[in-house]
């Protein structure tokens, strides 16, 4: 089921199904991250956890787009949010985008985005006892953050139930991640 979710075409951000699809993508990536952790593939798990968080942010940005536009100063910034930020989530802009999401009510998202970015760095450099290239000295500390980030992701996705179209597919994906987190 995970492969089907990740491989289906992504609707345009203007489509109402975009938020649901990105949440399904986030949960599918989260499940893969947990499977990689179980196999001892920490760097791969970090990569998938990062991508899960990035897909989650895309869903939130689309969901909150109108509120976010009110925070911008220029028409150019509003267009950038709609045409670049929502569909692409540039990694270099994730901290700033998370600050905008915080400003429209998503408390704590900046700290979790920082964890996701640390895991992204770990994916490329692995454990680094000197902590010069990675914020993680050991595989175990990175693995712990993968789990914590995915627990937070699942909690935040579930909190959106009343705000979006919530279908059986989304419920099943959330349940699968929940089961994988408790193993």
């Amino acid at each position: 089921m995970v492969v089907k979710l990740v491989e289906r075409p992504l609707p345009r951000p203007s489509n109402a199904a975009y938020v649901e699809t990105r949440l399904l993508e986030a949960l599918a990536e989260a499940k893969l991250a947990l499977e990689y952790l179980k196999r001892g593939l920490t760097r791969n798990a970090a990569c998938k956890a990062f991508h899960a968080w990035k897909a989650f942010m895309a869903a939130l940005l689309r969901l909150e787009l109108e509120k976010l536009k009110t925070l911008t100063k220029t028409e150019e910034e509003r267009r950038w949010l709609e045409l670049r930020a929502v569909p692409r989530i540039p990694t270099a802009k994730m901290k700033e985008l998370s600050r905008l999401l915080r400003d429209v009510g998503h408390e704590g998202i900046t700290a979790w985005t920082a964890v996701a970015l640390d895991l992204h760095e770990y994916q490329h450099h692995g454990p680094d006892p000197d902590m010069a290239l990675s914020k993680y000295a050991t595989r175990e500390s990175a693995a712990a953050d993968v789990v914590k980030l995915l627990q937070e992701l699942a909690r935040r996705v579930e909190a959106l139930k009343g705000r979006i179209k919530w279908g059986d597919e989304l419920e099943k994906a959330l349940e699968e991640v929940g089961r994988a987190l408790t193993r």
Side-chain angles (χ1 to χ4, degrees):
M1 186 206 53
V2 171
V3 172
K4 287 181 187 176
L5 292 176
V6 175
E7 293 299 322
R8 71 169 61 152
L10 190 62
R12 297 280 180 240
S14 58
N15 186 315
Y18 184 81
V19 172
E20 181 185 9
T21 302
R22 290 298 259 201
L23 291 176
L24 284 168
E25 176 187 358
L27 293 168
E29 295 284 8
K31 189 159 187 292
L32 286 170
L34 294 166
E35 288 175 16
Y36 283 140
L37 266 187
K38 191 175 176 183
R39 295 182 198 170
L41 302 169
T42 310
R43 288 173 74 175
N44 297 81
C47 172
K48 290 300 177 187
F50 170 76
H51 284 289
W53 192 258
K54 196 171 181 178
F56 173 70
M57 280 187 66
L60 279 186
L61 288 167
R62 177 58 188 97
L63 186 63
E64 304 292 7
L65 186 59
E66 294 311 311
K67 289 181 189 175
L68 294 168
K69 285 180 179 181
T70 66
L71 299 177
T72 60
K73 295 179 176 101
T74 67
E75 183 60 34
E76 184 180 335
E77 289 173 327
R78 287 185 278 282
R79 275 197 314 274
W80 182 84
L81 271 173
E82 195 167 356
L83 300 174
R84 297 282 298 160
V86 172
R88 302 207 188 283
I89 312 289
T91 301
K93 299 285 188 181
M94 283 177 68
K95 280 190 177 190
E96 186 56 36
L97 291 169
S98 72
R99 285 186 198 104
L100 289 173
L101 287 167
R102 176 203 59 209
D103 292 347
V104 297
H106 294 276
E107 291 301 318
I109 196 162
T110 55
W112 289 108
T113 299
V115 171
L117 288 164
D118 288 348
L119 290 170
H120 180 61
E121 194 174 79
Y122 175 84
Q123 167 204 347
H124 293 291
H125 302 292
D128 181 9
D130 298 331
M131 298 178 78
L133 298 174
S134 169
K135 305 265 187 316
Y136 300 98
T138 66
R139 293 176 65 224
E140 293 77 17
S141 62
D145 270 4
V146 166
V147 171
K148 286 179 194 169
L149 181 68
L150 297 178
Q151 288 170 333
E152 181 65 14
L153 176 111
R155 186 188 71 74
R156 287 177 181 265
V157 168
E158 187 169 23
L160 294 175
K161 273 186 180 181
R163 293 194 58 204
I164 63 167
K165 179 182 173 245
W166 192 269
D168 292 340
E169 201 171 27
L170 202 46
E171 184 66 31
K172 185 178 178 187
L174 183 60
E175 287 172 3
E176 286 180 9
V177 170
R179 279 193 300 275
L181 281 165
T182 59
R183 289 184 200 147

